[in-house]
Amino acid sequence: MHSFGYRANALFTFAVTILAFICAIASFTDTLNSPSPTVEVKVLNINWFQKQPNGNDEVSLTLNISTDLQTLFTWNTKQVFVFLTAEYVTPKHALNQISLWDGIIQSKEHSKFTITTSNKYRFIDQGSNLRGREFNFTLHWHVMPKTGKMFANKIVLPGYRLPEEYR
Amino acid sequence: MGWVSDTVHSVKSIKFREALTQVITLGLVVTSALIIWKGLMCITGTESPVVVVLSGSMEPGFQRGDILFLHMNNHPIRAGDIVVFNIDGRDIPIVHRVIKVHQRQDTQETYYLTKGDNNDMDDRVLYNHGQNWLEKKHIMGKAAGFLPYAGWATIIMSENPIVKYILVGALGLLVLTSKE
């Protein structure tokens, strides 16, 4: 009954149970945080806007993104994955989400910033529906904890429009 | 000579009963593990509720050896979700993030493009030749939560099968020989 093996087993089981419990508490404390990030996006320039030989529209933008994500960080936050999508509806597609830019933020100190960038991923439609198209920018964030449940949310910035003509 | 055969008989029967108890205990351990696994499958709605991260393509978010918990509910998959997908004709599932989504009006068919956070290029290089998009059928689940380091045992065991045999053998032996 009281062999070395049994004692080691009991100790190990106890340690794992406590560890799991602490991880669960750490994950739970994240739900007590109510973040309020802010974002502003400006289209500085439309670099080019054309139809590819295969018939899909493609546009290249220069964007100015300024955001404050400091409230997302808690003691259980490993990183925040933040990305900006263009989202729009066309007669052919009920939903289009296209990532234009993304970033990995690993500390609170780096979570308030302004950048000017052209789109990191290509803005290509499945078809030729971008001329004069209304779209919104959406800033999404996915919070990855040190352990436990992942959180995600977004801010939608409506009211942008692409030009009527290729350029 | 009657008492000899009686004794032999009783000894034999005791051994048999003990062995049977041990076998049943072992069976219980195996079946409860199976029940937990199948139960998780029912709750999460995915074929593999738990996966181990095998590559560093999602660093620094996920590292090799981390465990991911998957689920597959009615919420549609959207840009930013971390999905586990299987390319036709390949065994090893991949854990990457969705960066583009196009949902058709007429068929409701949805097309996804994925990318590893730590990779420079999107996943079209990983897909089969000529395949530009993932579809619903390729996706096994969405990552909902994660546990660091817990998958290392699995990686070690799958890379060195001998360790696995020794471990399983030792555990089996322990269960069969342990006395109350």
Side-chain angles (χ1 to χ4, degrees):
Chain A
M1 273 306 275
H2 298 283
S3 67
F4 175 76
Y6 273 100
R7 284 181 174 152
N9 188 15
L11 188 67
F12 181 71
T13 312
F14 184 65
V16 169
T17 313
I18 294 293
L19 193 64
F21 187 62
I22 291 172
C23 286
I25 290 177
S27 182
F28 173 74
T29 57
D30 275 348
T31 61
L32 304 176
N33 182 36
S34 48
S36 53
T38 60
V39 63
E40 211 175 305
V41 179
K42 283 193 277 269
V43 179
L44 297 184
N45 188 31
I46 291 170
N47 305 324
W48 39 269
F49 183 23
Q50 63 192 31
K51 194 180 204 166
Q52 294 180 324
N54 61 18
N56 291 336
D57 279 353
E58 175 168 12
V59 61
S60 167
L61 308 170
T62 300
L63 302 170
N64 181 277
I65 306 163
S66 72
T67 180
D68 179 357
L69 304 168
Q70 291 181 87
T71 51
L72 290 172
F73 282 82
T74 68
W75 69 309
N76 190 33
T77 305
K78 181 195 219 172
Q79 68 165 28
V80 172
F81 184 84
V82 58
F83 62 105
L84 186 77
T85 58
E87 309 197 355
Y88 58 96
V89 177
T90 64
K92 198 174 152 204
H93 290 97
L95 174 76
N96 299 276
Q97 289 184 304
I98 301 192
S99 273
L100 300 179
W101 168 85
D102 60 20
I104 296 170
I105 302 160
Q106 290 183 279
S107 70
K108 194 169 184 170
E109 290 75 49
H110 296 110
S111 61
K112 186 178 179 183
F113 57 89
T114 300
I115 60 161
T116 300
T117 174
S118 61
N119 49 311
K120 184 171 163 186
Y121 304 114
R122 298 174 74 180
F123 189 164
I124 305 174
D125 186 41
Q126 268 194 349
S128 178
N129 306 296
L130 288 186
R131 276 169 298 172
R133 180 64 52 202
E134 265 188 39
F135 68 102
N136 66 51
F137 284 120
T138 307
L139 189 86
H140 300 255
W141 57 88
H142 283 236
V143 180
M144 276 192 207
K146 293 206 167 87
T147 181
K149 194 174 181 305
M150 299 188 273
F151 291 89
N153 212 334
K154 63 186 178 183
I155 296 178
V156 181
L157 305 165
Y160 295 85
R161 183 188 278 274
L162 287 167
E164 298 285 345
E165 296 299 326
Y166 296 129
R167 58 174 82 168
Chain B
M1 292 299 277
W3 64 273
V4 174
S5 69
D6 271 353
T7 315
V8 167
H9 187 75
S10 71
V11 164
K12 265 187 181 165
S13 85
I14 287 169
K15 280 270 161 78
F16 175 71
R17 277 190 192 174
E18 262 184 17
L20 198 66
T21 322
Q22 303 293 9
V23 168
I24 289 173
T25 316
L26 187 66
L28 274 175
V29 170
V30 172
T31 43
S32 41
L34 199 69
I35 287 169
I36 291 171
W37 183 251
K38 293 283 173 188
L40 270 176
M41 271 169 78
C42 285
I43 295 165
T44 59
T46 167
E47 256 179 76
S48 43
V50 177
V51 294
V52 175
V53 178
L54 294 174
S55 81
S57 61
M58 286 297 280
E59 276 183 25
F62 301 141
Q63 272 151 10
R64 197 168 137 80
D66 291 353
I67 276 188
L68 293 185
F69 297 96
L70 306 185
H71 70 123
M72 196 73 171
N73 53 18
N74 292 328
H75 282 287
I77 293 158
R78 290 292 175 250
D81 288 341
I82 296 165
V83 295
V84 179
F85 61 91
N86 240 329
I87 301 293
D88 295 334
R90 281 187 241 162
D91 298 333
I92 297 171
I94 303 173
V95 183
H96 278 175
R97 193 187 295 276
V98 174
I99 63 166
K100 292 184 185 181
V101 176
H102 293 284
Q103 184 170 3
R104 291 284 293 262
Q105 292 270 21
D106 43 3
T107 55
Q108 294 297 312
E109 200 77 35
T110 313
Y111 300 91
Y112 309 99
L113 178 65
T114 53
K115 176 183 172 285
D117 289 357
N118 196 26
N119 293 352
D120 292 329
M121 299 282 287
D122 63 44
D123 285 349
R124 291 211 168 116
V125 288
L126 295 178
Y127 300 165
N128 283 328
H129 189 70
Q131 181 183 2
N132 278 331
W133 303 94
L134 287 182
E135 287 164 53
K136 181 97 184 165
K137 62 177 182 194
H138 296 116
I139 292 174
M140 295 161 62
K142 256 194 291 189
F146 95 112
L147 202 60
Y149 312 119
W152 268 110
T154 319
I155 291 186
I156 291 168
M157 278 195 272
S158 61
E159 285 181 357
N160 312 292
I162 297 166
V163 177
K164 181 166 62 185
Y165 298 137
I166 291 173
L167 211 67
V168 170
L171 275 178
L173 212 65
L174 211 69
V175 170
L176 285 175
T177 56
S178 68
K179 301 228 157 48
E180 284 302 309

